[in-house]
């Protein structure tokens, strides 16, 4: 199954692009489902069809769904949440407040990821198109598997240690530690999130496509998004530029707009020149309904199959041994990052990288645990970190 995720700043045409891409794939004979992970769903409006929280077939080879996050939360988290609520209510916390605070942070967004795993396991569809939320929400969504694994592993350490102290902890908490079935439910959730992360970071299976309009503010946000996606190991294979004023528009009112767009298109070329660029014009009508979605698909893809990998690449970090030394090299693609934007922290088995407000924990292989960071430097749009068997040297 090919997974294609469209994201970008709000209002740039992500939903229309997703719907048009899904329609094009379906009419090429590929069994295609398009899902919306935006809490403010508009996918049904774009398709001009009634869709809901379960997949609905619209045409031959085309299904659509507006995900209901509550379903997945109930399925994967309710058992653990009920235990935590019992602990809190027994300690005098109001039941309504307890219910609110025991929802795992980010799980509502993460519920969308659980459907991706389900569709992969069912193996019913050839293509899954994700109409993602605006970039900030999507970045939180895509970073959730990495963050949740970190959280769960530390909770499990406490629980495993606490089992030896169960007789002492019960009087302190007013409740017992979670039983095996509660922890099994939690483990199932985090294992599923980890499985989805593996799917989405496999560049042969999944691609992120960044949707924008030729406006300077939008371009800058898209550059930042591209950097953060690389930080989390997600491969971007194309950019989509919508609402380009056609040259056939001769009204003098648009002359200044056309000149600005021309400058900004050059900026897009400089920033994303290595990525496939898909373009669509500013249409003379709203983009909604199957006819205009076909027009948009024609403009974006021409003779291309949208399901193919449009820019072969991998945004996944990788570790290799230096042939000339016993050192190891870790390279993480981080385009557009300046040295001052980045912080690097190291513990025995983890490397923490912070770029702006976003953080990633990379679990290091055992071979690197006793090694130290010799230097770190930017080379060819990536961060190259050298691990050495000697005393720590200053970062270069």
């Amino acid at each position: 199954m090919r997974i294609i995720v469209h994201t970008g700043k709000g209002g740039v045409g992500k939903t229309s692009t997703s719907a048009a891409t899904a329609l094009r794939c379906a009419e090429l004979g590929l069994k295609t489902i398009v899902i919306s992970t935006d809490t403010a769903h508009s996918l049904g409006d774009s398709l001009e069809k009634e869709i809901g929280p379960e997949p609905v077939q619209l045409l031959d080879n085309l299904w659509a769904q507006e995900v209901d996050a509550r379903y997945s939360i109930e399925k994967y988290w309710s058992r653990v949440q009920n235990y935590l609520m019992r602990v809190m209510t027994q300690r005098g916390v109001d039941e309504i407040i307890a219910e609110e605070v025991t929802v795992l942070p980010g799980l509502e967004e993460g519920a969308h990821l659980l459907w991706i795993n389900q569709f992969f396991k069912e193996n019913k569809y050839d293509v899954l198109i994700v109409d993602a939320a605006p970039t900030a929400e999507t970045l939180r969504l895509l970073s959730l598997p990495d963050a949740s694994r970190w959280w769960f592993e530390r909770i499990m350490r406490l629980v495993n240690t606490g089992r030896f102290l169960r007789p002492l902890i019960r009087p302190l908490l007013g409740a017992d530690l979670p039983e095996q079935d509660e922890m099994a439910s939690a483990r199932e959730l985090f294992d599923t999130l980890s499985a989805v992360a593996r799917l989405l970071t496999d560049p042969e299976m999944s691609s992120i496509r960044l949707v924008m309009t030729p406006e300077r503010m939008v371009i800058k946000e898209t550059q930042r998004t591209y950097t953060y996606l690389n930080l989390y190991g997600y491969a971007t294979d194309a950019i989509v530029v919508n609402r380009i004023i056609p040259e056939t528009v001769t009204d003098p009112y648009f002359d200044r707009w056309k000149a600005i767009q021309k400058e900004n298109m050059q900026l897009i070329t400089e920033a994303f020149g290595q990525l496939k660029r898909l373009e669509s014009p500013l249409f003379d009508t709203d983009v909604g309904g199957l006819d205009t979605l076909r027009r948009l698909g024609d403009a974006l893809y021409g003779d291309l199959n949208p399901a193919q990998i449009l820019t072969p690449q991998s945004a996944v970090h990788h570790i290799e041994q230096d042939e000339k030394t016993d050192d190891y090299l870790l390279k993480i693609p981080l385009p557009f990052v300046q040295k001052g934007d980045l912080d690097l922290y190291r513990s025995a088995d983890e490397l923490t990288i912070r770029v702006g407000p976003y953080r990633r924990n990379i679990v290091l292989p055992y071979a690197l645990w006793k090694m130290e960071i010799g230097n770190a430097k930017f080379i060819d749009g990536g961060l190259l970190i050298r691990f050495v068997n000697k005393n720590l040297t200053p970062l270069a």
Side-chain angles (χ1 to χ4, degrees), residues 40 43 53 73 112 118 127 163 206 217 231 246 273 297 299 318 320 322 329 334 352 358:
L43 181 60
I73 292 174
H112 303 111
Q118 177 175 323
V127 184
R163 286 197 176 101
S206 303
M217 183 185 302
L231 178 66
H318 64 275
E320 60 187 33
D322 190 328
L329 303 174
L334 291 174
T352 300
Y358 296 96

Side-chain angles (χ1 to χ4, degrees), residues 72-284:
S72 293
I73 292 174
E74 176 68 22
K75 177 179 178 181
Y76 287 96
W77 189 243
S78 61
R79 186 185 296 274
V80 179
Q81 184 183 24
N82 289 338
Y83 164 75
L84 295 174
M85 287 176 59
R86 289 199 306 273
V87 172
M88 298 186 72
T89 54
Q90 289 170 10
R91 301 293 291 174
V93 179
D94 184 89
E95 185 174 346
I96 294 177
I97 296 175
E99 182 178 7
E100 290 297 320
V101 300
T102 53
V103 174
L104 179 66
L107 185 57
E108 186 165 347
E109 293 92 343
H112 303 111
L113 296 177
L114 304 177
W115 283 98
I116 295 175
N117 186 64
Q118 177 175 323
F119 294 143
F120 172 75
K121 290 169 64 177
E122 290 175 349
N123 197 27
K124 177 181 177 181
Y125 305 106
D126 301 312
V127 184
L128 166 62
I129 308 293
V130 181
D131 171 28
T135 47
E137 293 178 47
T138 298
L139 288 168
R140 286 197 299 272
L141 175 67
L142 294 178
S143 64
L144 180 63
D146 196 67
S148 66
R149 177 194 53 76
W150 184 91
W151 181 90
F152 182 64
E153 287 179 355
R154 278 149 185 78
I155 291 296
M156 283 302 296
R157 289 177 193 172
L158 293 175
V159 170
N160 289 332
T161 302
R163 286 197 176 101
F164 297 103
L165 305 174
R166 187 181 294 271
L168 299 176
I169 289 177
R170 180 176 178 82
L172 293 174
L173 292 180
D176 207 344
L177 286 170
E179 298 295 342
Q180 289 294 332
D181 50 357
E182 279 111 354
M183 295 314 300
S185 294
R187 184 178 290 280
E188 180 185 5
L189 168 65
F190 296 117
D191 286 349
T192 302
L193 291 174
S194 295
V196 174
R198 288 193 294 272
L199 295 178
L200 292 177
T201 54
D202 179 351
E204 297 300 317
M205 174 174 289
S206 303
S207 298
I208 309 292
R209 293 181 183 167
L210 299 172
V211 185
M212 69 179 83
T213 52
E215 301 170 69
R216 188 171 294 267
M217 183 185 302
V218 177
I219 296 168
K220 291 297 183 182
E221 178 170 324
T222 306
Q223 283 182 281
R224 288 191 293 270
T225 301
Y226 183 42
T227 293
Y228 297 140
L229 289 170
N230 275 274
L231 178 66
Y232 289 109
Y234 296 96
T236 302
D237 79 337
I239 58 170
V240 179
V241 187
N242 287 325
R243 300 178 192 149
I244 302 172
I245 300 173
E247 289 298 324
T248 54
V249 175
T250 57
D251 190 322
Y253 176 84
F254 290 97
D255 287 349
R256 180 57 180 157
W257 276 110
K258 289 165 70 175
I260 292 172
Q261 284 197 352
K262 185 175 182 180
E263 292 176 4
N264 290 338
M265 291 297 287
Q266 179 59 36
L267 180 60
I268 291 172
T269 299
E270 295 170 0
F272 303 98
Q274 74 278 20
L275 296 176
K276 176 69 176 178
R277 187 163 79 197
L278 308 171
E279 300 179 0
S280 73
L282 177 66
F283 284 104
D284 55 2

